[in-house]
Structure formats: C-alpha cells, structure tokens
Amino acid sequence: MRMRCTKLIINLADLRHNFFEIKKTVGEKIKVCASVKADAYGHGAVNCAKELESCGIDFLAVATVDEGVELRKNGIKVPILMLSLCCPEEVRVAVKNNLTPLVFDEEYIDLFEQAAALENAEEFSVHLAVDSGMGRIGCMPERSGILALYISEKPHLVLGGICTHFACADSLEQTDVDYTLQQLEKFNLACMSVEKAGINPGIKHCSSSAAALNLSSANFDMIRAGLILYGYYPSQITENYLASTGRKVELKKVMTFQTEVVAVRPFKKGQSVSYGHTWTASEDTLIAVLPVGYADGLRRSFSPGIKVCINGKLYPVCGRICMDQCMVNIGKDNADVKRWDTAVIFGTCPQGNAMTADDLAVLDSTISYEIMTGISKRVPRIYL
C-alpha cells in the first residue's frame, strides 16, 4: 500500500552529525544530555533516542513520565532526566522506570523517597533544581545546601546532580547577557552551598543549546542540547555570529516537511481560491493543489507569506489554508510543475531554496520549536 504523500523526512545521519558537532564544540570531557521531549521536537523520540544512544549520548531528557516510559519500553538504557514535575500518582512509575526527576522542596523529595522505598530502589538518583532567575521550578539558591542535606538523609535517595535553566541565553542584548551572567553567578553560589554542606552535588548542568554554543563557562559537567541537535540555531546565536567570533558550528536540518502536487488546475483572471475568497487571480494562472493543511501542522496563519519549494523554485500559497489541503499559485504556462512532483514545505530541498522552520516562525510571530512540535501525528515520519 502506498504511504500518504504528505510526510516528514527525518535524516538520522544529520542528527548524528549534529551530535558530534556539538561534542566537538563543547569538548569531549563535557557530557551531553539530549532533549527528546515533545516527541523529540516532532522528530520522533524513540528513533532519535536510539540513534543518539548509538552515538554515545550520556543522558536523554523528557518532560513527562509517559515520555520516559515510552523510551524504556523501546529498550533505551541511558539515564533519562525528567525536566517537568509529575503528579503523586506518577511518582512510583517514574521510580520503577528509573527516570531521574528534578526536585526542589521537601514535599516532592519525600514523595520520591516513599516511592523508592516501595520499589526497593537503592540510591535512586534525583537532581536538585535551582531557580536562578527563570521563575519556573527550583529552589532559591540559598536553600540548595539545606535541601542537599535533606536528600542525603533519605535512605533510598542520592543527589545525582544540580541544575538551573537560563531565561535568555539565546539573546545578545546586553541586558539579557547581564541577566544570564547573574543567573550563572547564583548557580555557582548554589553549588558552593551544597559543597559547603559536605555534599557532593553530582553532575552540574545549566547550559541549554544557546549557552552551550556561546557561554563555555556555564558548561560545567554536562550541557543540555535541544534545538541544535535538530539543526537550528537558537535565536541570536546564529551560524554567522558564531563564525564572526571564530567558532565554526555547522548544523544540518534533520526534518523536512514535504508533500506532492496532486492536481494542477487552470484559473482565469478573477477566479478566487479557498474559503472566504480572500485571494483572486489577477491574471490567468495555474493553481497546484497540495494535500496538506492545518490539521497536519501547516497553520492557517502562514498564508499569505508561505512559499513552497517545487523543483527548486519557490511558489506562494494562495488563499486560506484548509484543514487538509492548500493551493499554490505556480504562474501561467508553467511546464516545470507537474502532478506528483514533490513540494517541500520546509527543510531540505535537493535543488535548494526551501523555507526553514525559522522562516515559518517569523510568519506566525513564534519560534521554530513551535513549528516543528506542531506537526501532527497523522503526518508519517520516514527515517533515513
């Protein structure tokens, strides 16, 4: 049976390339934790995790217990860090599947101690989260030593690491740079507080993709790579900026969102296209129909503005994007576009010129993360 022509092409060789490019950048001694939460940013968590595990990844990171359990059920053995909090009913499942949680107060620590006791888990690892200025989860830096001692008193727990998260490390604005350095200073004080309490803080980690590339003093024992693994640079920390500072970091885009032309239809001047007849042909033209729409992740708000790549040329989507289809103006007497030709929404096009997730993010005033994670489950993932 022929697979649906609308699909995501996931190039695992490019994922592997990005991993080793990151290792080269941060140095062999620095561990790498790969973020595979949100189905590996839409790329497919299980397949990406298996590829990264074969590369020698040190840690994987998920958001939810279910995400971690899925990886364990598919044979993933490396440590899995759980970046978001879980409810009491999920705690024992997390322990049973050896998912490493972030903790930051006595109540939450107690929940994991109780679950570890029930599961007879000796030295179950937890990481202490410090709120250095993100304002999301974490203890205040001055409480880190107290909580490290509290963990050390639990017979079934061990402090496996200490971490924080930067709020604006992807920005080069001076106020944001200063804020990041203040966060780094607070995290250093938190680590010192733990050590002064006589506790080994374990793995120290706070660098996300942006800091890993641009703030080596924050890399400590491990960095947490997310966006850069999948081939995108974080905001202002661009390839050109890095090159201008003497650092060459070449990333390859892992995801390509593509479909096929299923019809080419002649339109006369004055004919309109799609709901609300918001677009009307200003001259005789040809309209290509693509079987992809907002239910697949091609947002209605992308049009006008989005252009798809067909045989190396960009053509504008015209009219409103429908739930399952969209229409493209390919111009009058265009013999270059035929039924069943490949149309690249974003990603890699053999002839070049395709838009990127960054380009689409600009159209919708968002970020590339949201574009990639927004590709729906009904779009099959094909792995190369």
Side-chain angles (χ1 to χ4, degrees):
M1 184 176 71
R2 193 175 190 273
M3 185 176 292
R4 186 183 177 205
C5 60
T6 298
K7 58 180 74 94
L8 283 180
I9 307 297
I10 309 298
N11 193 317
L12 294 176
D14 288 345
L15 178 68
R16 177 179 286 266
H17 165 87
N18 293 341
F19 169 76
F20 286 111
E21 190 76 355
I22 293 162
K23 285 292 288 185
K24 183 178 71 176
T25 301
V26 301
E28 286 298 319
K29 293 183 180 179
I30 307 296
K31 296 179 187 292
V32 176
C33 174
S35 179
V36 293
K37 63 181 180 174
D39 202 30
Y41 295 26
H43 293 70
V46 171
N47 285 279
C48 289
K50 286 181 177 179
E51 186 69 22
L52 291 165
E53 190 172 49
S54 75
C55 292
I57 198 75
D58 300 287
F59 264 78
L60 296 169
V62 299
T64 69
V65 173
D66 285 347
E67 288 178 339
V69 169
E70 180 187 29
L71 296 182
R72 291 291 187 230
K73 284 182 176 178
N74 281 276
I76 300 299
K77 303 297 184 186
V78 297
I80 298 175
L81 192 64
M82 196 165 55
L83 299 177
S84 296
L85 306 184
C86 59
C87 65
E89 293 78 13
E90 296 175 304
V91 169
R92 191 169 177 180
V93 178
V95 173
K96 188 172 184 177
N97 286 275
N98 197 23
L99 308 179
T100 304
L102 302 185
V103 299
F104 64 93
D105 62 26
E106 288 85 351
E107 180 183 2
Y108 205 55
I109 293 167
D110 287 342
L111 284 172
F112 279 97
E113 168 61 22
Q114 293 160 15
L118 289 170
E119 290 294 327
N120 295 314
E122 297 296 330
E123 296 191 334
F124 178 74
S125 178
V126 301
H127 285 210
L128 181 62
V130 177
D131 183 3
S132 60
M134 180 68 177
R136 195 163 58 183
I137 64 172
C139 67
M140 292 298 101
E142 59 270 20
R143 293 206 73 228
S144 58
I146 296 168
L147 288 168
L149 275 171
Y150 192 76
I151 293 166
S152 72
E153 293 167 355
K154 301 301 176 185
H156 296 88
L157 301 184
V158 63
L159 182 60
I162 183 170
C163 62
T164 195
H165 192 62
F166 292 129
C168 48
D170 58 350
S171 172
L172 296 175
E173 302 298 325
Q174 191 57 53
T175 54
D176 291 333
V177 171
D178 291 343
Y179 193 82
T180 300
L181 292 175
Q182 290 169 19
Q183 284 194 260
L184 180 58
E185 183 179 358
K186 290 177 181 179
F187 181 64
N188 272 313
L189 290 172
C191 293
M192 289 172 57
S193 176
V194 172
E195 290 164 349
K196 284 181 181 178
I199 307 297
N200 181 351
I203 299 169
K204 300 176 185 176
H205 55 105
C206 63
S207 283
S208 56
S209 289
L213 297 181
N214 197 44
L215 188 62
S216 59
S217 60
N219 288 347
F220 292 98
D221 303 313
M222 182 168 76
I223 62 105
R224 302 188 302 268
L227 192 66
I228 53 177
L229 272 172
Y230 307 108
Y232 283 86
Y233 296 86
S235 191
Q236 295 180 21
I237 314 301
T238 64
E239 182 177 17
N240 289 339
Y241 162 74
L242 292 168
S244 73
T245 62
R247 293 167 290 173
K248 183 179 179 182
V249 183
E250 182 187 355
L251 303 177
K252 296 183 179 182
K253 292 173 177 59
V254 178
M255 174 188 289
T256 296
F257 189 16
Q258 69 180 48
T259 187
E260 293 177 6
V261 175
V262 294
V264 177
R265 304 183 61 226
F267 269 61
K268 295 290 186 182
K269 178 180 178 180
Q271 280 187 267
S272 63
V273 167
S274 197
Y275 292 112
H277 50 84
T278 59
W279 184 91
T280 301
S282 59
E283 59 183 356
D284 291 356
T285 191
L286 294 171
I287 298 295
V289 181
L290 308 182
V292 59
Y294 60 77
D296 301 300
L298 189 68
R299 300 182 182 193
R300 198 167 180 261
S301 51
F302 287 160
S303 181
I306 184 173
K307 296 179 180 180
V308 301
C309 186
I310 307 173
N311 297 325
K313 296 181 180 179
L314 289 172
Y315 298 100
V317 171
C318 55
R320 288 179 178 160
I321 293 170
C322 308
M323 184 181 290
D324 315 299
Q325 300 175 82
C326 68
M327 282 62 73
V328 178
N329 183 12
I330 62 172
K332 186 178 181 181
D333 300 326
N334 186 346
D336 294 333
V337 178
K338 300 176 293 298
R339 178 178 265 174
W340 315 129
D341 281 349
T342 296
V344 176
I345 309 300
F346 69 81
T348 302
C349 184
Q351 302 95 334
N353 292 329
M355 295 187 83
T356 68
D358 282 332
D359 294 328
L360 296 189
V362 170
L363 293 178
D364 213 24
S365 301
T366 185
I367 53 178
S368 57
Y369 302 77
E370 192 171 5
I371 303 303
M372 291 186 287
T373 59
I375 308 301
S376 75
K377 285 289 189 181
R378 84 173 187 180
V379 178
R381 273 70 170 165
I382 309 299
Y383 295 91
L384 303 182

